[in-house]
Amino acid sequence: MTLPPLLWAGNAVVGRLTVGSVPPLMLNCLRWALAALILMPLGWKALRDPRAIAVRWKYLLAIGLLGVGSYNSLQYLALVTTTPINVTLIAASLPVWMLAIGALLHDEHPTRRQIAGAFLSLAGVLLVIARGDLSTLARVHFVAGDLYVLVAIIAWAFYSWLLARPPESMRGAQRPDWDWAGFLLIQMLFGLAGSSVAAGAEAAITHASIHWSPWVVLALLYVAIGPSIIAYRCWGLGVTQAGPALASFFGNLTPVFAAVMSAAALHEAPQWFHGAAFALIVGGIVVSSRR
């Protein structure tokens, strides 16, 4: 469970480094197209029964667009105007949105500890957005990238709930015989449908192009293999063996790794409010997880 946060932090740093070389929506499209090609030898058996996919297309399209398309596209868009540290810290507010969506749509009412933890995490997010000066919140001034991350993490919360509460056709005896590779491959293919359209629109509107170089090729290989395939697989194994509560603590290591990587690769040294925000977010997770 330590490896996925490390890889996801690297994804944020690499996404920042590719600004100017690869358009953000095209980066997301190429990332998942390459990841799908790499995963194909392991997950191709899931494609042998197109009927099983067709009868569940609405659900698969939803999780594909939310988890593969929207979330990652918005993250790369955010990195054009904000830093990897901010991206990962704001993304650490996931418990807030998970609780809200669970209460509103799934009748999962949070406990007092969970509410207290959510407020602590939200305070950390607001501190990052305000850049350490809370008076700026009164002027409702946000960096565009910070808003993109907020929308992205809400999309990820919906995606997580869809995974946790799938329709009946994905549970019990009716569940298709898909292993982790097949199920992830199908999500990638549905997500690519949306990300391809977004990348095409981006190219038509901005006329931005890819400036190919050995660095760009290495960056694409990293984001396709590390954060996309290895991290998803390791995270699934960790959550299965240790449970989601413990996994959430490890998930919040991402901002720490991002801060170290940013200082080394981007010369973006962490500020005091990054440390304070991280403490608030982790404190929120600790409070909400205690019984």
Side-chain angles (χ1 to χ4, degrees):
M1 287 190 295
T2 303
L3 185 58
L6 178 63
L7 294 170
W8 289 329
N11 180 52
V13 174
V14 169
R16 178 70 169 182
L17 287 169
T18 58
V19 172
S21 297
V22 187
L25 298 183
M26 180 59 69
L27 174 61
N28 184 61
C29 183
L30 292 176
R31 166 191 177 177
W32 290 107
L34 184 56
L37 286 175
I38 295 172
L39 193 61
M40 187 68 71
L42 294 176
W44 67 272
K45 292 182 180 179
L47 305 179
R48 291 187 303 181
D49 187 3
R51 183 178 178 278
I53 299 174
V55 298
R56 300 167 178 84
W57 73 269
K58 292 182 180 179
Y59 172 74
L60 296 170
L61 179 63
I63 61 175
L65 291 179
L66 290 171
V68 172
S70 300
Y71 174 74
N72 294 280
S73 294
L74 289 166
Q75 184 185 61
Y76 288 136
L77 275 174
L79 287 164
V80 176
T81 55
T82 191
T83 68
I85 301 174
N86 279 27
V87 166
T88 54
L89 277 170
I90 294 173
S93 67
L94 178 62
V96 177
W97 310 109
M98 288 287 286
L99 291 176
I101 293 171
L104 290 174
L105 301 182
H106 299 281
D107 199 30
E108 291 282 345
H109 300 292
T111 65
R112 292 181 179 180
R113 287 188 178 276
Q114 288 175 324
I115 293 173
F119 273 110
L120 284 173
S121 295
L122 184 59
V125 173
L126 293 176
L127 188 61
V128 172
I129 293 175
R131 299 298 195 276
D133 183 6
L134 295 179
S135 64
T136 61
L137 294 178
R139 298 190 291 272
V140 197
H141 175 70
F142 297 101
V143 176
D146 293 340
L147 291 176
Y148 287 144
V149 181
L150 281 175
V151 176
I153 204 63
I154 293 172
W156 186 262
F158 277 104
Y159 166 77
S160 300
W161 271 108
L162 284 172
L163 287 181
R165 296 287 181 86
E168 184 61 34
S169 62
M170 295 296 296
R171 293 183 281 118
Q174 299 182 28
R175 180 175 181 175
D177 186 22
W178 298 336
D179 58 11
W180 72 270
F183 186 45
L184 180 56
L185 177 62
I186 292 172
Q187 292 181 55
M188 290 181 183
L189 295 177
F190 274 95
L192 273 170
S195 58
S196 298
V197 172
E202 177 187 53
I205 294 172
T206 66
H207 303 289
S209 60
I210 303 174
H211 301 288
W212 290 103
S213 68
W215 150 247
V216 169
V217 174
L218 289 175
L220 286 173
L221 286 173
Y222 172 77
V223 298
I225 298 173
S228 303
I229 298 176
I230 298 176
Y232 272 66
R233 176 54 173 160
C234 290
W235 190 254
L237 288 173
V239 170
T240 300
Q241 295 181 20
L246 181 58
S248 65
F249 288 98
F250 285 86
N252 281 278
L253 289 172
T254 304
V256 177
F257 292 139
V260 174
M261 291 180 182
S262 294
L266 301 172
H267 307 292
E268 295 175 348
Q271 302 297 316
W272 70 267
F273 57 84
H274 288 125
F278 179 72
L280 286 169
I281 292 170
V282 172
I285 298 297
V286 172
V287 170
S288 62
S289 300
R290 294 184 64 184
R291 297 183 180 277

